[in-house]
Amino acid sequence: MNTLLYTSLLTVMTCGAATSVAAAQWTANSAVNTPVCVQPNDQAVPKAAAAGGGRTWIGWFDHRGSNYDVYVQLLDRDGNGLLGANGLLVSSNTQNTSLVGWDLISDSGGNCVLAFTDVRAGGDLDVYAYRISPTGVFLWGANGATLSNNPDFEANPSLAELSDRSFICVWSLSPNTGTGSIRAQRIDTTGAPLLGPSDIALPTGTTTNEKPGFCTVVTDGVGGFIVQWLRNTATFSSPRHIRVQRYGSNALAQWNAGNPVVVLDATSVPIAHQPTLKSDGAGGALLAWHRSATLSDCYVQHVDASGTELFAHNGLQVSLEANRHKFD
């Protein structure tokens, strides 16, 4: 072989191997792990979502300054951050020191979509959504899309991408007095609202003075969505029963003549527990939760596309092992 050609090939191969080693950041040492953010104070309530191609979106509330700011980072398949050291600042708008639940997903284009609450418009929590491209572009503007603006307490927004590539966000509204509701807004790919200029209350069968909460949403696969929530979270002794309903793209209820399907009413789930909801890929949903008596036990339910419970009412117990607590 030509000496110059051989030397050139060897150099390329050596550089390629060195690049491969240098690019790998994941560590097999569970005592060290891979750093995502190493700033002072706490990085709280992290979320993660697979973005395709081995990439992962991670988001969190960051207290490196005087406020809980929202940051995201996109890790490549080798664990390297693609949006700068310690993440990309999404929002530095004023946040409560007491944080509530929020959501982060990766859409079909690999973008990060997140919904959270803050107090930028006043002392109460309102809901905002952002969509960030893999290169860090704010696709819904620097301040995101405003999903609600009212004087009541709103918490725990949940997101899903629908089959037409629009997005649905649901959350709970709990006024100081009176009846609460599960709120919703559908958003197109530009961040524009599709259910009217303001959020709407979903039909949930809520009765006077009840405050439903801890809702979760998934797509039904054909343009609509399925929502799970707890019947009433107003007090410690409220009946925190699990309910679920399927809605069309217009947010009209589809199951049980418009009434929610009651998945659990034999007892309540624990305080601040949010049941798990997953699409079954066929227009129905899978639900999982735990409840407490002498011991805590886990249960599951499968509701099909017609709204019919396929397991026994109040759920199928996951494990019958004696003398053990089971959670989540």
Side-chain angles (χ1 to χ4, degrees), residues 189-251:
T189 55
T190 70
L194 297 173
L195 295 179
S198 182
D199 58 292
I200 66 169
L202 291 177
T204 57
T206 301
T207 58
T208 302
N209 292 325
E210 287 188 339
K211 292 181 171 61
F214 292 95
C215 54
T216 312
V217 62
V218 296
T219 178
D220 70 357
V222 290
F225 54 97
I226 299 170
V227 182
Q228 168 280 134
W229 69 94
L230 299 186
R231 170 187 167 185
N232 190 6
T233 61
T235 69
F236 287 131
S237 60
S238 295
R240 294 181 301 281
H241 300 154
I242 301 174
R243 294 179 169 181
V244 65
Q245 180 59 276
R246 182 178 180 179
Y247 300 91
S249 59
N250 55 4

Side-chain angles (χ1 to χ4, degrees), residues 150 152-155 171-175 179-183 199 212:
N150 59 64
D152 293 317
F153 177 83
E154 294 166 294
W171 63 92
S172 61
L173 181 147
S174 300
T179 305
S181 59
I182 300 297
R183 312 294 296 187
D199 58 292

